[in-house]
Amino acid sequence: MSDKSGMQNYNRTRVLTLIGTILTQLALGSVYTWSLFNGQLSEKLGEPVSRVALTFGILSLCLALASSVAGKLQERFGVRTVTIAAGLLMAAGFALTAHSDNVLMLYISAGVLVGLADGAGYLLTLTNCVKWFPERKGLISACSIGAYGLGSLLFKFVCGHLLATEGLQNTFMIWGGIAMVMVIAGAMMMKDAPKQETADVTREESSLNDSTNDTRDFTLAEAIRAPQYWMLALMFLTACMSGLYVIGVAKDIGQSLVKLDALTAANAVTVIAIANLSGRLVLGVLSDKMQRIRVISIAQIVSLAGMSLMLFTQMNEMMFFVSVACVAFSFGGTITVYPSLVSDFFGLNNMTKNYGLLYLGFGIGSIFASLVASLFGGFAVTFSIITVLLIVSLVLSATIRLPNKSEAGHNTLQHV
């Protein structure tokens, strides 16, 4: 009876943690509505839109930086405390943004503070939730990261309505308040996942994602000594570089390359949102049915198809929407599968730290693509570099093998 009661409590705790994580991710994903505010902030501060838009680049970089230390924060304070702190910091960042009267204050409040809050809460709650469901890592990643993507769609309507009825300053205050309540409410449902037994793996998982044996428990220091870690890092950076760049300039691609009017080109935002969310759900669920590294290969092929359409064809309206949808689908799927993929290679126990460092590729990839575009002008050079990197990444995903911790010094490899 006690075993049955213990299992019921275990299942209740992890289901509550999942619900709390989804609620938190919905709120954290709201930052992807930032483009709604560029125009009004530009008028308020008397700055060009390009300088105001840089705020989101700073936010993305700080998000990645905070994600990289999330594991340390959880070890010291626990997932609930860190998530509550992230909700409070997010609200403070938006409150300061509401009262920003120059672009530097905007960068600090919305860029640095909101970015750090979002990054600390995002990766921490995601990886903690995945650890609660070792038998369904792909599905849980899809639920969590799908909620993050859905949050951007939900708050697009919320923030759009608030801007029309409440004005810019009040919108930031209300947005921060709603996000804070959602994050704190979600945090109160969460508990830290128990430490995983490295040899405790189901037969199903062992056959589909043969990631766990008695040596599959790498610390970050051990993981970064394995060449596979940096192969995964390059693949992740490439996926983020292609996805974030195309998502950020999709409307401009439509107007410049396809000669679409502004209203039609803006429909790319909706197409991208649907494709991005679809990629998260489809590839996330698929990753529990087949080897995750093969799912990444599929995502790379889809992205390569989209980039090739942009680079080598004379696009019409339909081809334009198909190409950006391919890239967004691949990006959404990749960032969903990657946390579980990293645990396949290096174990679940240190997943937050091992994935956290690798997640810096999110910020670096985004900035690198923008720098290339600004240095060389136009889209052709950036598309070409991304295409080459995608081909290299596809070769890596086809040839990478699991590291063997017991013989890490000799770089012994195992078949995935």
Side-chain angles (χ1 to χ4, degrees):
M1 185 66 71
S2 60
D3 286 348
K4 184 178 180 181
S5 176
M7 183 55 69
Q8 287 175 339
N9 286 335
Y10 175 84
N11 285 329
R12 179 176 177 273
T13 300
R14 69 177 190 165
V15 168
L16 280 174
T17 297
L18 173 60
I19 294 170
T21 300
I22 290 172
L23 185 60
T24 298
Q25 294 283 347
L26 281 169
L28 296 177
S30 67
V31 297
Y32 281 84
T33 61
W34 183 259
S35 61
L36 293 175
F37 298 90
N38 286 333
Q40 289 194 35
L41 283 169
S42 174
E43 290 179 16
K44 176 186 175 183
L45 303 178
E47 297 281 356
V49 170
S50 59
R51 290 194 71 187
V52 172
L54 180 59
T55 307
F56 189 72
I58 296 170
L59 187 155
S60 297
L61 181 60
C62 290
L63 190 160
L65 289 170
S67 296
S68 70
V69 299
K72 276 289 184 189
L73 292 174
Q74 183 179 11
E75 271 186 6
R76 180 148 189 197
F77 302 107
V79 65
R80 181 178 292 175
T81 301
V82 177
T83 305
I84 289 172
L88 293 171
L89 182 60
M90 194 171 186
F94 280 130
L96 289 172
T97 301
H99 297 93
S100 294
D101 55 8
N102 60 72
V103 75
L104 179 59
M105 188 173 174
L106 180 67
Y107 290 162
I108 293 170
S109 59
V112 176
L113 295 184
V114 175
L116 290 175
D118 207 85
Y122 165 72
L123 188 62
L124 181 70
T125 56
L126 163 65
T127 54
N128 181 70
C129 192
V130 169
K131 288 178 193 175
W132 274 108
F133 296 85
E135 77 284 6
R136 286 288 178 267
K137 293 187 286 188
L139 176 62
I140 298 305
S141 289
C143 289
S144 181
I145 299 178
Y148 191 81
L150 192 60
S152 65
L153 282 177
L154 174 66
F155 275 84
K156 178 183 177 183
F157 297 106
V158 172
C159 292
H161 174 73
L162 288 173
L163 277 172
T165 58
E166 300 292 337
L168 184 64
Q169 183 169 316
N170 286 341
T171 295
F172 279 122
M173 296 296 293
I174 297 170
W175 178 12
I178 294 172
M180 180 185 70
V181 170
M182 289 176 69
V183 170
I184 292 176
M188 297 306 293
M189 299 183 203
M190 297 177 201
K191 283 194 176 180
D192 289 279
K195 185 175 176 65
Q196 300 294 318
E197 296 294 334
T198 56
D200 185 17
V201 59
T202 65
R203 181 179 301 173
E204 178 186 13
E205 185 179 22
S206 180
S207 62
L208 292 174
N209 293 294
D210 188 16
S211 62
T212 44
N213 54 41
D214 57 357
T215 65
R216 193 70 52 210
D217 190 19
F218 287 67
T219 65
L220 178 59
E222 291 166 340
I224 62 176
R225 288 200 293 269
Q228 292 91 332
Y229 189 86
W230 302 106
M231 293 163 75
L232 291 175
L234 179 60
M235 286 188 273
F236 186 73
L237 185 146
T238 301
C240 291
M241 181 178 176
S242 59
L244 292 170
Y245 177 69
V246 171
I247 288 170
V249 299
K251 181 181 175 184
D252 305 295
I253 294 170
Q255 290 182 272
S256 177
L257 295 186
V258 196
K259 309 302 181 189
L260 300 177
D261 60 79
L263 194 60
T264 304
N267 289 331
V269 176
T270 304
V271 171
I272 283 170
I274 294 170
N276 193 342
L277 186 57
S278 299
R280 293 167 193 239
L281 297 175
V282 172
L283 296 185
V285 172
L286 187 62
S287 73
D288 279 333
K289 308 293 184 185
M290 61 187 291
Q291 292 175 346
R292 291 188 182 93
I293 194 66
R294 298 287 79 86
V295 178
I296 294 299
S297 298
I298 292 170
Q300 290 164 341
I301 291 169
V302 171
S303 186
L304 198 53
M307 295 305 303
S308 297
L309 283 176
M310 294 185 202
L311 196 56
F312 301 117
T313 66
Q314 190 69 39
M315 284 193 297
N316 56 31
E317 182 178 335
M318 179 58 68
M319 288 175 66
F320 163 64
F321 287 131
V322 169
S323 63
V324 296
C326 283
V327 175
F329 180 91
S330 171
F331 171 67
T334 297
I335 63 173
T336 300
V337 174
Y338 241 77
S340 300
L341 180 69
V342 171
S343 76
D344 288 345
F345 274 75
F346 303 108
L348 268 173
N349 285 322
N350 297 298
M351 176 183 169
T352 310
K353 291 183 193 173
N354 291 339
Y355 181 52
L357 178 62
L358 192 145
Y359 196 76
L360 286 172
F362 183 92
I364 296 169
S366 173
I367 289 175
F368 182 64
S370 299
L371 285 174
V372 170
S374 62
L375 284 173
F376 295 99
F379 300 111
V381 174
T382 313
F383 288 166
S384 299
I385 291 174
I386 290 172
T387 300
V388 170
L389 286 173
L390 280 169
I391 293 170
V392 171
S393 294
L394 184 57
V395 172
L396 291 178
S397 71
T399 57
I400 194 170
R401 298 292 181 262
L402 289 172
N404 187 330
K405 180 180 175 183
S406 62
E407 301 181 44
H410 299 92
N411 292 328
T412 299
L413 307 181
Q414 296 179 348
H415 287 278
V416 175

